[in-house]
Amino acid sequence: MIRAAFYAATLCILAVSATAQTVLTVTHDGETIEYDMAALQALPQTEYTTNNAFINGSSVFSGPLLRDVLELSVSLDEEEVMLRAVNDYEITFPVSDSIDYDVIIATQMDGALMSVREKGPLWLMYPFSEFPELNESVYKGRIIWQLVDISTK
């Protein structure tokens, strides 16, 4: 019940923020939800310190869980979603990863919003430091930066 109320409130925020700049579009079955940064930051946030192959050392990443964003608009029963970056780079992403791991749509790195130059404003991130099995190249290839679109096939 509380979860349903939270999601209803989130959808209201999305409607109010329609004039703000869209940073993420999620499309499923012809329905589209557009998120601005405030709407993404209104969702419950997850934060962890991790390293990855594209930064020096470790950084603190924070943002909503991908599974929470998917749950608002895409069935978690979907096997895969397509993730697209600002430069039209696209990957197929297994939804099961968002259930098995705390994959986030990072909106901040080390407490600051990320610019496009810093791989932002949205960077899909896995908790690499917490799960050694994530250090395989297949997972490293899934941390798409400058994320702008999620859609079902």
Side-chain angles (χ1 to χ4, degrees):
M1 179 72 170
I2 292 173
R3 189 175 182 107
F6 169 77
Y7 288 127
T10 300
L11 290 175
C12 288
I13 290 169
L14 290 173
V16 169
S17 64
T19 59
Q21 181 181 359
T22 299
V23 294
L24 180 66
T25 302
V26 183
T27 306
H28 175 64
D29 285 342
E31 298 292 322
T32 299
I33 296 178
E34 294 181 341
Y35 293 88
D36 64 10
M37 190 61 74
L40 286 173
Q41 291 181 322
L43 295 171
Q45 302 291 292
T46 297
E47 178 179 288
Y48 46 74
T49 302
T50 194
N51 58 6
N52 69 63
F54 304 100
I55 59 172
N56 293 323
S58 294
S59 286
V60 178
F61 292 92
S62 62
L65 289 167
L66 175 61
R67 66 177 163 257
D68 288 349
V69 172
L70 293 177
E71 194 170 46
L72 287 171
S73 55
V74 175
S75 169
L76 291 178
D77 293 332
E78 293 285 334
E79 286 188 32
E80 300 172 328
V81 292
M82 298 301 295
L83 305 179
R84 186 176 55 84
V86 71
N87 66 354
D88 289 330
Y89 174 75
E90 216 173 43
I91 64 166
T92 301
F93 186 89
V95 172
S96 60
D97 278 10
S98 71
I99 296 166
D100 296 341
Y101 303 103
D102 284 345
V103 177
I104 62 173
I105 299 174
T107 59
Q108 294 188 29
M109 182 170 70
D110 296 328
L113 294 175
M114 296 176 285
S115 69
V116 172
R117 183 178 189 140
E118 297 167 317
K119 300 186 176 20
L122 305 177
W123 191 358
L124 195 78
M125 191 57 57
Y126 282 84
F128 290 104
S129 298
E130 190 175 340
F131 297 95
E133 67 268 25
L134 293 176
N135 288 308
E136 298 293 325
S137 62
V138 66
Y139 297 104
K140 292 175 186 176
R142 293 180 184 156
I143 59 169
I144 188 170
W145 54 80
Q146 300 169 342
L147 177 65
V148 294
D149 185 73
I150 300 173
S151 61
T152 53
K153 288 185 171 184

